[in-house]
């Protein structure tokens, strides 16, 4: 069984009638619906306005994969939530960042860059090309698929070079964009997937659904490490007893976090 949490800001769907028509139960509700056909998934949802952003330590401890959608309220996500999610990713929890999540606190934290890009909201056709048809995330897809209306995201996408680029997008206006990127951070696997502007029915598209389903199974790690000791301010595991017999040479001036 794979435990997943679909996290959504859930503001556009509440405030905007047009968006509400496309996603009456929120973007998280739509994603939950199409994932429900996969019996190996145990699905929970969480939203920004819930207590602790809906993401407690207890909940994340048992979570294999978090899916993240946010746009206009990235700054309202608690730093404590970002710390928790980052820690769990380093321990081995999978993370799928969708669309405008490129500017979320958690993605920027894990990338270490501003994650800026160029964009245009014009309802353009997007053609996504599959860069590695042999990759598990691309299973079941044709060489390319199209979305009739999408927001354009263009290069330069200011992220670190990914471990692998799985999709590149071409837009009607002429721009191209690296739209499916894999990163490893600590023991965790991160997948960034570009499509998903709130004003278009992108998450109702079968190919987008296939990618998200495949990605969940790919970013889930079988083996997680618990780094609680490493996260402590004075981790004892940083000062292991030597395996070989050694005699101390030189001198030490002490370390700021050294226990007295
Ligand atoms: Zn957007």
């Amino acid at each position: 069984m794979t435990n997943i949490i679909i996290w959504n800001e859930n503001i556009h769907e509440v405030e905007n009638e047009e968006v509400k028509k496309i996603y009456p139960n929120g973007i998280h509700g739509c994603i939950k619906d199409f994932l429900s056909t996969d019996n190996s998934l145990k699905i929970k949802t969480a939203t920004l306005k819930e207590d602790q952003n809906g993401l407690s330590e207890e909940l994340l401890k048992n979570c294999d994969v978090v899916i993240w959608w946010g746009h206009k309220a990235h700054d309202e996500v608690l730093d404590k939530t970002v710390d928790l999610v980052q820690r769990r990713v380093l321990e081995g929890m999978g993370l799928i960042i969708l669309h405008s999540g490129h500017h979320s606190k958690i993605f920027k934290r894990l990338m270490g860059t501003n994650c800026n890009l160029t964009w245009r909201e014009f309802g353009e056709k997007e053609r996504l090309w599959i860069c590695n048809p042999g990759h598990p995330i691309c299973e079941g897809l044709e060489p390319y698929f199209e979305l009739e209306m999408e927001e354009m995201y263009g290069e330069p996408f200011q992220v670190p070079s990914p471990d692998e680029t799985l999709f590149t997008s071409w837009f009607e206006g002429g721009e191209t964009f690296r739209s499916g990127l894999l990163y490893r951070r600590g023991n965790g696997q991160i997948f960034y997937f570009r499509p998903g502007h709130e004003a278009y029915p992108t998450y109702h598209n079968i190919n987008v659904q296939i990618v998200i389903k495949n990605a969940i199974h790919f970013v889930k790690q079988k083996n997680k490490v618990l780094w609680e000791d490493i996260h402590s301010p004075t981790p004892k595991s940083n000062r292991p007893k030597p395996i070989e017999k050694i005699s101390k040479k030189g001198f030490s001036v002490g370390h700021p976090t050294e226990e007295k």
Side-chain angles (χ1 to χ4, degrees):
M1 193 56 85
T2 301
N3 291 306
I4 72 163
I5 300 171
I6 305 163
W7 190 92
N8 182 21
E9 186 179 274
N10 197 33
I11 293 180
H12 292 293
E13 304 96 311
V14 173
E15 290 181 351
N16 186 293
E17 287 303 319
E18 295 303 310
V19 178
K20 203 183 287 180
K21 276 185 208 154
I22 305 169
Y23 297 114
N25 302 313
I27 285 173
H28 57 297
C30 175
I31 295 174
K32 187 181 178 184
D33 281 350
F34 71 73
L35 291 178
S36 297
T37 55
D38 186 336
N39 294 325
S40 71
L41 303 179
K42 209 169 152 201
I43 308 167
K44 286 194 166 83
T45 60
T47 53
L48 175 72
K49 306 280 188 203
E50 289 172 55
D51 182 40
Q52 302 175 74
N53 304 141
L55 295 173
S56 68
E57 183 159 7
E58 196 55 34
L59 203 58
L60 284 169
K61 208 162 90 184
N62 297 310
C63 177
D64 298 299
V65 177
V66 166
I67 298 173
W68 193 280
W69 196 100
H71 177 224
K72 64 185 290 187
H74 293 313
D75 285 349
E76 290 178 38
V77 174
L78 302 168
D79 288 336
K80 191 172 173 263
T81 303
V82 180
D83 292 344
L84 269 177
V85 175
Q86 179 194 23
R87 188 181 120 192
R88 289 289 295 123
V89 169
L90 297 178
E91 288 172 349
M93 185 182 77
L95 180 65
I96 298 171
I97 299 283
L98 298 173
H99 187 59
S100 41
H102 71 92
H103 261 167
S104 61
K105 282 184 184 175
I106 182 63
F107 190 59
K108 289 197 285 189
R109 169 85 64 88
L110 288 161
M111 294 300 106
T113 59
N114 60 38
C115 302
N116 288 345
L117 44 78
T118 65
W119 57 275
R120 179 173 59 236
E121 201 180 340
F122 220 67
E124 291 167 63
K125 181 189 279 188
E126 175 177 8
R127 183 177 294 143
L128 288 103
W129 288 93
I130 285 84
C131 302
N132 180 359
H135 195 281
I137 292 181
C138 305
E139 204 180 314
L141 298 174
E142 298 295 323
Y144 67 86
F145 64 91
E146 292 178 348
L147 301 166
E148 281 309 313
M149 278 193 295
E150 252 298 351
E151 180 181 17
M152 185 281 292
Y153 276 9
E155 300 283 349
F157 187 16
Q158 296 178 51
V159 286
S161 288
D163 300 330
E164 187 163 7
T165 302
L166 295 181
F167 300 93
T168 53
S169 286
W170 168 89
F171 293 89
E172 219 175 328
E175 287 86 354
T176 61
F177 188 76
R178 292 166 290 164
S179 50
L181 306 178
L182 276 171
Y183 293 94
R184 197 169 180 92
R185 291 290 183 269
N187 198 42
Q189 193 73 63
I190 301 158
F191 180 57
Y192 173 78
F193 189 48
R194 196 218 75 86
H197 187 61
E198 68 278 356
Y200 312 120
T202 299
Y203 296 116
H204 294 284
N205 179 280
I206 183 70
N207 292 306
V208 169
Q209 296 178 359
I210 288 171
V211 173
I212 294 172
K213 274 186 198 174
N214 288 346
I216 290 168
H217 294 288
F218 183 78
V219 301
K220 179 191 173 181
Q221 303 289 311
K222 281 201 188 80
N223 301 312
K224 293 186 188 66
V225 288
L226 287 175
W227 286 3
E228 269 153 29
D229 190 33
I230 293 170
H231 294 300
S232 107
T234 56
K236 290 197 170 57
S237 61
N238 279 359
R239 286 162 285 157
K241 284 199 165 61
I243 299 163
E244 307 293 341
K245 199 168 181 235
I246 52 171
S247 56
K248 193 172 180 189
K249 296 182 260 311
F251 64 93
S252 53
V253 292
H255 189 271
T257 59
E258 206 80 34
E259 285 159 0
K260 291 283 178 300

